[in-house]
Amino acid sequence: MAGDYEEHHHTYVRGWEYLSAVGVSEDEISFVEEAYVHDTSDAGVAQPVQRAVNALRRPVGQGNIVILVGRSGTGRYTTALRVLRDVGVAGKAIHSLIPDWDRPRTAQVPSTSGHGFILDLSAYRSLPKDFYQGLGDYQREAAGKDAYLVVLVTPETWKPGGLVSVPAVECVGPRADKVARAHVRHMAADRENWLDELKNLIGNTTSPEDAARLARIIAGYQGRD
């Protein structure tokens, strides 16, 4: 992600536990608007962003929550930002939730009108039954306030069974070489040709996250060009 992070902290209290939120910097928003790389690996299938946007825009009372399922390093957070922007949430109204809880609880998830929230639950091996059930109540509340929630999980984490019918979108991540090129073009366009010399550093097993890290190194290099 290009640029420095400008953190805006908020605290939401709904029950006995606290849930903090970190705002998204203008640089992050600029990147997802100008340089986001869409996954085009599935010919004829809508891209993850479009599928997620369609899910959030379902009729009132049925949308407002979408689950992004994927491995760490596949760009789910960046995808979540792009999804929230594409459904019309202002950049300053997007927040990453930081839970301070021993188990996920939907009762602490905010539904501020006109806001979008990103909740990463990838660290949990499983989710409790009452969390899945609580998503249904949260979905109705969020729809009434025009609020949106994007939840990030791994394939092992998300096992709803028949407890909830929230749409889930698989995120496999775009090709690493495309990610690296898009990042460099956005941050230091005059160095895009460096990737031609460093192409051996990006292979089929390189994650989008590692490709983005390489791009930041190239853009931030202070030695002789």
Side-chain angles (χ1 to χ4, degrees), residues 136-168:
D137 293 333
Y138 177 86
Q139 185 169 256
R140 289 186 287 275
E141 179 180 340
K145 297 181 178 179
D146 197 28
Y148 297 97
L149 174 66
V150 181
V151 182
L152 312 183
V153 296
T154 66
E156 293 79 14
T157 303
W158 185 248
K159 302 291 184 182
L163 296 173
V164 66
S165 58
V166 175

Side-chain angles (χ1 to χ4, degrees), residues 36 38 46-54 78-79 82-83 86 169:
Y36 180 82
H38 291 278
Q47 298 165 343
V49 168
Q50 190 57 56
R51 298 203 300 274
V53 168
N54 291 343
T78 306
T79 297
R82 181 59 188 250
V83 168
D86 282 5
V169 174

Side-chain angles (χ1 to χ4, degrees), residues 61-219:
Q62 298 180 25
N64 296 74
I65 301 177
V66 68
I67 313 299
L68 297 185
V69 185
R71 303 291 180 187
S72 296
T74 54
R76 293 168 303 161
Y77 176 76
T78 306
T79 297
L81 291 178
R82 181 59 188 250
V83 168
L84 290 172
R85 287 295 295 124
D86 282 5
V87 295
V89 180
K92 63 182 180 181
I94 299 176
H95 303 279
S96 295
L97 299 176
I98 304 174
D100 181 19
W101 50 26
D102 58 349
R103 65 198 299 270
R105 301 172 187 273
T106 56
Q108 276 75 48
V109 179
S111 57
T112 308
S113 179
H115 283 57
F117 300 95
I118 302 172
L119 177 62
D120 190 349
L121 298 179
S122 303
Y124 293 90
R125 293 183 179 180
S126 63
L127 300 175
K129 179 179 179 180
D130 58 357
F131 179 83
Y132 288 117
Q133 294 172 328
L135 283 177
D137 293 333
Y138 177 86
Q139 185 169 256
R140 289 186 287 275
E141 179 180 340
K145 297 181 178 179
D146 197 28
Y148 297 97
L149 174 66
V150 181
V151 182
L152 312 183
V153 296
T154 66
E156 293 79 14
T157 303
W158 185 248
K159 302 291 184 182
L163 296 173
V164 66
S165 58
V166 175
V169 174
E170 181 181 5
C171 293
V172 297
R175 282 175 41 180
D177 58 337
K178 291 185 177 182
V179 171
R181 196 163 294 277
H183 275 69
V184 173
R185 189 182 298 124
H186 181 73
M187 295 184 290
D190 59 322
R191 296 182 177 182
E192 186 177 350
N193 64 317
W194 288 27
L195 290 170
D196 297 329
E197 302 296 326
L198 300 172
K199 60 184 179 181
N200 291 335
L201 296 179
I202 301 177
N204 294 332
T205 60
T206 304
S207 70
E209 183 178 52
D210 288 338
R213 185 178 297 111
L214 174 62
R216 289 194 296 271
I217 293 172
I218 292 174

